[in-house]
Amino acid sequence: MAKTATKSAKKPATKAAPKAAAKTAAKMTAKAAPKVTAKAAPKLAAKAKPAKKPAVKLSMLRPSVNNMTVRVFARAAGLDPAETDAWGHTRSPEFLARNPAHLTPMIEDKGLPRGVLWESCAIMQYLANKHGLEKFYPKAPAKRAMIDSAMFYLVGTLYPYVARATYPALGFPQYAGEVGHSDAHPDKKSEAQKAAMAAIAEPLEVFHSFFRNGKPFIGGNSPSIADIRLGATLEFLAVVDYALPKWAKEYMAALEKKLGKAYAEPAGDVRGYIAHVKSQAKA
């Protein structure tokens, strides 16, 4: 630029200079125009994109660890759940028409034969299969069998003990046919509750020594759907101040650290409810 300026200063401008300048300007404009348009087009298209619809429609109850299970999984899997609080609505005609079992959590999906699905483990299995989430639910038959076994053992053995031990304190209705649901003397109900609490230690040790077997999680180095189900279940034990073994405390802390907000946010609702219940009991 400095050389051009010097030459221009020594030589007078010719008549051709304006024409040359005009041609140069025209060429520059012609070249620049497509570049500006090309760069601007994608930005305009990006703004026109419709809002992403939630991948999962979930009806849930915030204080429940069964519901917490699916809430944690959906977040950890990046499924962007659209949650509806079903508190007080599970017996409504509209809800019962879709879900005669009146249970939560419940997801809605057009791909399902009846449009809805309940039971936390079944929901996680379905969503993991549908979206190819092998990280949480491996396809290898042997590994998958261990995840399934852990969840079924939890639902069939550990959770009934946890329910009998914690539901009286949580204010949740107990299952028909059990002492807690009967007209038995309060002492008998208290005995049953203490017996359930004492029974929790055995299945807990099974999870520790058999299903984890020296690994950080049931799923290995990363949490599986069985780990999410177990971690959520253990949250309820805080309401009766159950003395968890050291490994269980470390396990729950590691699970929350690994899953971050995906775990902490739904867990916060359960913990908040437990804190409220305990404060009411002291009042």
Side-chain angles (χ1 to χ4, degrees):
M1 292 294 288
K3 289 182 180 178
T4 305
T6 305
K7 288 179 181 178
S8 299
K10 290 180 179 179
K11 294 182 181 180
T14 61
K15 291 181 181 180
K19 290 183 180 180
K23 286 182 180 179
T24 303
K27 286 180 181 179
M28 290 178 67
T29 304
K31 288 180 181 179
K35 290 181 181 178
V36 173
T37 305
K39 287 182 180 179
K43 290 182 180 179
L44 291 171
K47 289 181 180 179
K49 282 184 180 179
K52 185 181 177 183
K53 291 183 179 179
V56 179
K57 290 183 179 180
L58 172 64
S59 295
M60 54 82 199
L61 304 178
R62 296 183 188 280
S64 164
V65 295
N66 298 322
N67 289 258
M68 174 187 158
T69 298
V70 175
R71 296 179 72 201
V72 169
F73 171 72
R75 285 167 167 76
L79 298 179
D80 189 25
E83 297 181 340
T84 299
D85 193 340
W87 190 270
H89 301 290
T90 57
R91 299 276 184 170
S92 68
E94 182 186 7
F95 196 93
L96 288 171
R98 294 178 297 160
N99 180 345
H102 53 79
L103 294 174
T104 60
M106 179 188 78
I107 62 166
E108 298 175 54
D109 193 329
K110 291 180 180 179
L112 291 164
R114 302 301 299 273
V116 301
L117 180 67
W118 60 85
E119 293 294 345
S120 61
C121 294
I123 290 172
M124 291 192 294
Q125 289 169 317
Y126 170 71
L127 292 175
N129 286 332
K130 179 178 179 179
H131 298 284
L133 300 168
E134 290 188 61
K135 175 183 176 182
F136 296 99
Y137 193 40
K139 282 187 177 180
K143 289 182 178 180
R144 176 167 285 200
M146 292 301 287
I147 301 300
D148 289 340
S149 179
M151 290 195 300
F152 299 159
Y153 181 62
L154 187 151
V155 172
T157 302
L158 176 61
Y159 193 78
Y161 293 152
V162 171
R164 291 167 191 149
T166 62
Y167 279 20
L170 289 164
F172 290 0
Q174 295 188 72
Y175 298 102
E178 296 190 349
V179 177
H181 188 267
S182 70
D183 294 327
H185 191 277
D187 289 348
K188 290 292 182 183
K189 292 184 179 183
S190 179
E191 260 181 60
Q193 184 181 11
K194 288 175 183 176
M197 285 179 66
I200 289 170
E202 183 177 275
L204 269 187
E205 179 55 30
V206 172
F207 277 104
H208 176 50
S209 61
F210 183 79
F211 288 112
R212 287 181 68 220
N213 189 28
K215 305 184 299 292
F217 303 103
I218 298 167
N221 292 324
S222 297
S224 67
I225 56 176
D227 290 290
I228 294 172
R229 189 68 185 88
L230 177 58
T233 297
L234 298 182
E235 291 284 345
F236 261 174
L237 292 175
V239 77
V240 290
D241 295 321
Y242 184 87
L244 284 169
K246 183 182 177 183
W247 75 262
K249 293 177 182 177
E250 293 173 348
Y251 169 78
M252 292 177 72
L255 182 64
E256 183 166 358
K257 183 177 180 181
K258 195 80 172 179
L259 298 179
K261 287 184 179 180
Y263 186 94
E265 290 177 355
D269 287 330
V270 172
R271 293 166 185 169
Y273 180 75
I274 289 173
H276 169 73
V277 167
K278 293 177 83 169
S279 68
Q280 292 295 105
K282 290 177 181 178

